[in-house]
Amino acid sequence: MDYYLAVDIGASGGRHILGWLENGILKTEEIYRFDNGMEKRDGHLIWNIENLYNNIIAGMKKCRQIGKTPAYMGIDTWAVDYVLLDRDDKALGVPYAYRDHRTAGMDKVVYAKESQEELYKRTGIQKQIFNTIFQLMAHKKKEPDILGRAEHMLMIPDYLNFLLTGVKHTEYTNATTTGLVAAKSGDWDLELTDRLGFPRRIFKPIVKPGTRVGSLRQYIADEIGYNLSVMLPATHDTASAVLSVPYDEDGIYISSGTWSLMGIECKEADCGLLSQNKNITNEGGFGDTFRYLKNIMGLWMIQSVRNELGRKYSFGELCNMAEEEKDFPEFVDVNDESFLSPDSMTEAIREYCRKKHSDNLPETPGQLAKTIYHSLSISYRDTVMEFEELTGKIYHSIYIVGGGCNADYLNRLTAKATGKNVYAGPTEATAIGNIMAQMIGSGLVKNKAEGRRIIYNSTDIRKYLPN
């Protein structure tokens, strides 16, 4: 029996989760957990890559210590962020975090060279000011010496894979989030990168998930006490999460975590004007699909408020307090840019309400939580309506996966607001999708359809009715 190791790294932390098949049932075990977070350095938000690498190694050592050494491993992270390397494979500058404000105004610089409408026609990627295309333009305008010396651009999981194996390439699902991949070809749009003045040499070959990267560097294998095959899952965490959805063609998924990624799977990208106006994106998915989805601010808002409250309350307690405030009427547009990276989420919510000339400023923790959860459910409702308008289909079910699927109160609000059946689970969606991609890539599981059947049969799915 082979063990498969998912290293699932999010904006606030990472986990090492082992997976294996036992009588056709997917079994998982969390082996190691570590903290992550954006750090402030010289006025910018950055990632501590050294910390991530050291924890990856520590978790792999833990596998050996408990006698469960994996034969395969795969890394997934968030999207859009990257590391630039020089000709000696040394990192240049710092790995900026997507919430850093250095991209302010870079959209105007990009659109002066390629209009927003034409850019969407080419890539199908929605405008987010933190997209890689705007980050690279910030590098070009503010640190041209670094971009000029760069020989390689590797997305965060690709850089971590390079540290482990010495192999440099870019995994497809994460590459598509850059806004620099042509939707039709699935490859870098080099005509676009030329127009923007980004050097062609930095863009590495794009490789599909399920591909074997290589073995560990020998000194790493010696350090941890074993070797294995590093595999490519869908390295964008949302793409891994979507692979775990017990999905049907009449359903919409929500990958619920720091962000709420809500969408459907399609065989072709929709790069039309209506999709652009609705700010829908076409990101690459496992198995030559597109994740036709919308980014919604998600649980980042309640996570931030909880931190501002000194983590005095658990998320479950905040849900209970929100439910007690059921008559509190306030809601906000969760996708407003003021909630992206405020100094205080609590004050940002109150200021938004003030600008609406509201008489109901949320003051208590329960009122703040009620505002956030209610607003999310309204955003989900509106997004369902948009998808039905764009596709001409009626969707009867919503599948919520990821850590946010445990928010029972939000699930009930979502069912009521949308009028759809809501199915919640699996919780460890990203890690499970990561593991399943490895199993498919190694030949243990035949294809995505078989993988989803295994996941469904291995998961406790909770159902919420709209009435």
Side-chain angles (χ1 to χ4, degrees):
M1 177 180 65
D2 286 333
Y3 291 107
Y4 293 75
L5 175 62
V7 181
D8 172 27
I9 307 175
S12 59
R15 295 90 46 78
H16 289 56
I17 295 180
L18 282 176
W20 65 96
L21 286 185
E22 194 173 294
N23 298 321
I25 299 297
L26 178 63
K27 302 287 187 177
T28 61
E29 179 182 354
E30 183 179 302
I31 302 301
Y32 184 78
R33 181 178 287 263
F34 60 93
D35 292 331
N36 186 32
M38 302 175 194
E39 299 181 1
K40 201 74 172 282
R41 186 181 301 175
D42 298 327
H44 291 282
L45 292 172
I46 68 161
W47 298 109
N48 188 334
I49 296 293
E50 182 179 0
N51 177 64
L52 296 181
Y53 172 79
N54 289 337
N55 276 291
I56 290 171
I57 298 300
M60 294 169 74
K61 288 179 179 178
K62 185 68 179 294
C63 293
R64 178 178 54 81
Q65 291 168 8
I66 65 171
K68 295 181 178 180
T69 56
Y72 304 90
M73 73 164 292
I75 300 172
D76 67 77
T77 76
W78 62 96
V80 306
D81 292 338
Y82 57 88
V83 177
L84 295 175
L85 304 180
D86 66 14
R87 64 179 59 188
D88 298 317
D89 293 336
K90 302 298 183 185
L92 291 165
V94 295
Y96 291 104
Y98 62 87
R99 293 189 192 275
D100 185 72
H101 295 295
R102 72 193 180 101
T103 55
M106 292 301 111
D107 51 342
K108 296 181 178 62
V109 179
V110 168
Y111 297 147
K113 298 178 181 295
E114 184 80 10
S115 73
Q116 185 173 0
E117 182 175 331
E118 286 301 316
L119 189 63
Y120 190 83
K121 284 181 181 178
R122 300 178 82 111
T123 69
I125 297 300
Q126 72 179 130
K127 179 190 174 183
Q128 299 274 15
I129 195 58
F130 50 72
N131 285 352
T132 313
I133 187 173
F134 303 125
Q135 293 201 47
L136 278 173
M137 187 56 73
H139 251 123
K140 182 184 176 189
K141 291 297 183 181
K142 299 178 181 182
E143 297 178 291
D145 57 323
I146 287 181
L147 187 60
R149 290 161 52 203
E151 292 288 331
H152 316 281
M153 181 190 77
L154 296 177
M155 309 303 285
I156 296 295
D158 298 317
Y159 179 63
L160 293 170
N161 283 335
F162 164 69
L163 293 179
L164 293 174
T165 67
V167 177
K168 293 189 290 287
H169 53 210
T170 305
E171 186 274 323
Y172 169 69
T173 65
N174 216 330
T176 62
T177 70
T178 64
L180 295 166
V181 171
K184 288 184 179 180
S185 70
D187 206 349
W188 297 114
D189 189 334
L190 296 178
E191 182 180 307
L192 174 62
T193 61
D194 288 347
R195 189 170 299 153
L196 297 173
F198 303 154
R200 284 192 177 200
R201 64 181 180 272
I202 69 174
F203 300 102
K204 299 298 102 180
I206 292 178
V207 181
K208 293 295 180 70
T211 302
R212 181 180 183 274
V213 179
S215 300
L216 298 175
R217 297 177 191 255
Q218 191 57 51
Y219 72 86
I220 295 176
D222 292 341
E223 180 181 355
I224 67 172
Y226 60 96
N227 212 325
L228 48 64
S229 289
V230 176
M231 302 287 289
L232 284 181
T235 64
H236 183 197
D237 51 10
T238 305
S240 275
V242 170
L243 179 55
S244 76
V245 174
Y247 195 61
D248 66 54
E249 61 183 15
D250 293 324
I252 291 176
Y253 63 78
I254 303 175
S255 176
S256 180
T258 300
W259 291 89
S260 289
L261 293 311
M262 187 170 186
I264 59 177
E265 282 185 307
C266 301
K267 284 294 184 183
E268 296 181 355
D270 182 345
C271 302
L273 186 60
L274 283 177
S275 290
Q276 180 186 350
N277 289 340
K278 297 294 187 182
N279 212 22
I280 307 294
T281 200
N282 296 267
E283 295 176 353
F286 188 93
D288 297 316
T289 59
F290 287 93
R291 290 173 290 122
Y292 187 58
L293 62 84
K294 190 162 193 173
N295 286 342
I296 299 169
M297 196 66 73
L299 298 178
W300 160 250
M301 296 178 70
I302 194 68
Q303 291 165 354
S304 298
V305 167
R306 178 173 177 259
N307 288 337
E308 291 163 17
L309 292 169
R311 299 196 173 193
K312 182 178 179 181
Y313 308 103
S314 69
F315 290 115
E317 288 172 328
L318 287 170
C319 280
N320 291 337
M321 287 188 284
E323 191 161 14
E324 291 172 2
E325 297 283 353
K326 60 183 178 180
D327 295 326
F328 187 74
E330 197 53 70
F331 71 93
V332 299
D333 177 4
V334 296
N335 294 315
D336 190 86
E337 286 194 1
S338 64
F339 303 129
L340 179 61
S341 186
D343 292 332
S344 167
M345 184 65 72
T346 300
E347 187 52 37
I349 293 170
R350 291 171 180 162
E351 181 60 24
Y352 184 97
C353 295
R354 289 189 192 99
K355 289 181 179 178
K356 287 198 321 179
H357 305 291
S358 173
D359 295 326
N360 299 292
L361 295 185
E363 298 292 345
T364 67
Q367 290 172 352
L368 285 163
K370 167 61 165 51
T371 299
I372 292 169
Y373 287 124
H374 178 61
S375 300
L376 278 172
S377 71
I378 295 300
S379 182
Y380 296 161
R381 178 202 66 191
D382 294 345
T383 303
V384 168
M385 294 170 65
E386 289 175 352
F387 280 123
E388 292 184 339
E389 175 188 351
L390 288 163
T391 64
K393 292 181 62 176
I394 299 297
Y395 297 93
H396 300 289
S397 305
I398 297 175
Y399 295 86
I400 304 179
V401 300
C405 78
N406 292 321
D408 180 78
Y409 176 59
L410 178 57
N411 295 340
R412 286 186 278 118
L413 285 178
T414 300
K416 182 177 180 181
T418 62
K420 312 293 184 183
N421 294 333
V422 170
Y423 298 88
T427 300
E428 298 291 355
T430 302
I432 287 173
N434 179 324
I435 290 165
M436 189 52 64
Q438 295 182 58
M439 288 181 170
I440 294 170
S442 71
L444 180 65
V445 174
K446 182 178 179 181
N447 52 33
K448 181 165 69 173
E450 180 181 338
R452 280 183 165 153
R453 285 194 296 271
I454 290 170
I455 292 168
Y456 179 83
N457 292 331
S458 307
T459 305
D460 179 24
I461 307 294
R462 302 177 304 282
K463 184 176 181 179
Y464 299 82
L465 300 178
N467 52 357

